[in-house]
Amino acid sequence: MTEIARTVQQTARPVGFPTPDHFRFVESPVPAPAPGTALVENLLWSVDPYHREMMDGDFELNAPLEGRTLGRVVASRAPALPEGEVVFHRQGWRTHAVVGPEEVRRLPHHPGVPLSAYLSVLGGTGLTAYVALTRIARLRAGEDVFVSGAAGGVGTAAGRFARLLGAGRVIGSAGGPEKVRHLTEQVGYDAAFDYHGAPVAELLAEAAPRGVDVFVDNVGGDHLGAAIGALRERGRVVRVGTISQYNTPDAPPVLFDHAAVVEKSLRIEGFLVKDHRDAQEELYDFAVPHLRSGALTADETVVDGFERIVEAFLLMLRGGNTGKTLVRAI
């Protein structure tokens, strides 16, 4: 274990896209655990789109940023947290964290499952996709699904889960031809399009000429408007995120046919995954056998070195990742 702990702090509120100047690294001695707590040395960090939204006011300036993290207990004064145990916690953008038993989740031991999966397809990213399809959309076998931002962490998980749940056609949008190819050749999407190529409504109509039943929306904006038009009777919109607006606060409001919501008996519902943590074991039961069999793959972009965590975050915001973006200790 190193003797120096490092944290990342936000130093200013960004307008538009953040830059490295909005962050700083701070060094301090490795903290010692108090009675009833344990010291965790972190191994894997998650950087997520929601972090950008929190930079506008939820994150405290000049304080360590939070985030989903996996780490190993290296010193413990809590019997419930034995040394050597790998745990999940949310004291994210730092190399070391002092935690109590109530602040962590001990990881299950699933032989053959890589550790990174617990932050990607088995973590909050996968849980978001699973809840979106099963609890909010209540996807039925044979129904057609459209996913925006389909090459990201939630988007790739949603596509793979939809296929395993028996969906009919699965259609996705992504930013760039390489991502489109990944979706159709690797993830299992039946059709995908580059939303830069033409108006989204036109591209969606070409990819799904007979419409769709479920829309899992990570993007908002013109994707939402296009999907409202493409949804069939009793279609469902699951609002997961609005990444198209995180860095463009002056973006115009979404335009869609409000009458279609009534005339087609559509349902539009958003959710926060933190309100569905009771589905975690259900996700394990569903996904772990498929991971072991090879029917399910975790799509991940892994950046090595904690010193590159800001770089990884900015890369993800610019769409430079495929699947879940993770930072790995070296």
Side-chain angles (χ1 to χ4, degrees):
M1 184 178 69
T2 62
E3 297 182 356
I4 299 296
R6 305 182 76 196
T7 64
V8 178
Q9 300 180 0
Q10 180 183 340
T11 59
R13 304 289 180 205
V15 177
F17 275 94
T19 70
D21 293 337
H22 291 102
F23 304 90
R24 68 179 173 193
F25 286 83
V26 177
E27 294 186 350
S28 63
V30 172
T37 68
L39 173 65
V40 172
E41 186 170 27
N42 292 325
L43 305 171
L44 281 164
W45 297 265
S46 171
V47 292
D48 297 283
Y50 82 86
H51 285 132
R52 172 61 188 88
E53 195 172 20
M54 295 188 72
M55 289 183 72
D56 289 334
D58 293 288
F59 283 147
E60 183 180 347
L61 295 181
N62 303 309
L65 302 180
E66 69 93 29
R68 302 180 180 117
T69 309
L70 299 182
R72 180 175 287 110
V73 176
V74 293
S76 179
R77 301 182 68 183
L81 296 175
E83 293 181 10
E85 190 78 15
V86 177
V87 298
F88 167 94
H89 65 89
R90 299 191 68 91
Q91 295 188 35
W93 292 34
R94 64 187 84 196
T95 57
H96 301 76
V98 174
V99 298
E102 73 285 352
E103 297 175 288
V104 307
R105 185 174 75 243
R106 296 173 68 175
L107 295 188
H109 298 286
H110 293 130
V113 174
L115 186 62
S116 62
Y118 293 99
L119 280 182
S120 61
V121 75
L122 296 180
T125 297
L127 188 61
T128 299
Y130 182 79
V131 168
L133 292 168
T134 62
R135 292 193 172 188
I136 310 301
R138 300 186 184 97
L139 178 67
R140 295 183 288 270
E143 291 189 316
D144 296 335
V145 179
F146 170 45
V147 181
S148 63
V154 173
T156 50
R160 293 186 184 275
F161 289 174
R163 180 63 62 222
L164 293 169
L165 290 165
R169 297 187 74 240
V170 183
I171 300 101
S173 71
E178 291 185 4
K179 291 185 177 183
V180 168
R181 282 193 296 271
H182 179 76
L183 292 177
T184 56
E185 297 176 4
Q186 303 295 327
V187 181
Y189 277 82
D190 295 287
F193 59 82
D194 179 358
Y195 61 81
H196 295 123
V200 175
E202 294 179 12
L203 295 167
L204 179 56
E206 181 179 349
R210 293 182 293 177
V212 295
D213 301 289
V214 171
F215 174 42
V216 179
D217 187 18
N218 297 291
V219 174
D222 52 0
H223 281 76
L224 178 57
I228 294 292
L231 282 165
R232 300 173 182 141
E233 186 176 357
R234 300 193 182 282
R236 287 91 73 201
V237 174
V238 185
R239 294 281 291 113
V240 174
T242 314
I243 195 169
S244 67
Q245 297 179 10
Y246 290 163
N247 298 296
T248 53
D250 298 326
V254 177
L255 299 177
F256 63 87
D257 184 356
H258 291 74
V261 178
V262 176
E263 293 166 357
K264 294 193 287 186
S265 299
L266 304 182
R267 178 163 58 87
I268 303 174
E269 183 175 350
F271 74 99
L272 297 174
V273 71
K274 68 181 181 64
D275 296 327
H276 294 271
R277 290 174 182 161
D278 61 311
Q280 185 67 61
E281 292 298 325
E282 188 179 325
L283 172 62
Y284 289 155
D285 291 343
F286 167 75
V288 168
H290 293 305
L291 280 170
R292 286 175 169 165
S293 73
L296 175 63
T297 300
D299 298 88
E300 299 170 351
T301 294
V302 179
V303 176
D304 283 324
F306 178 75
E307 69 278 4
R308 298 179 65 196
I309 191 168
V310 172
E311 175 189 341
F313 174 59
L314 300 180
L315 178 78
M316 179 270 302
L317 287 183
R318 295 285 186 181
N321 62 301
T322 299
K324 174 67 183 166
T325 305
L326 299 172
V327 177
R328 179 172 55 196
I330 55 174

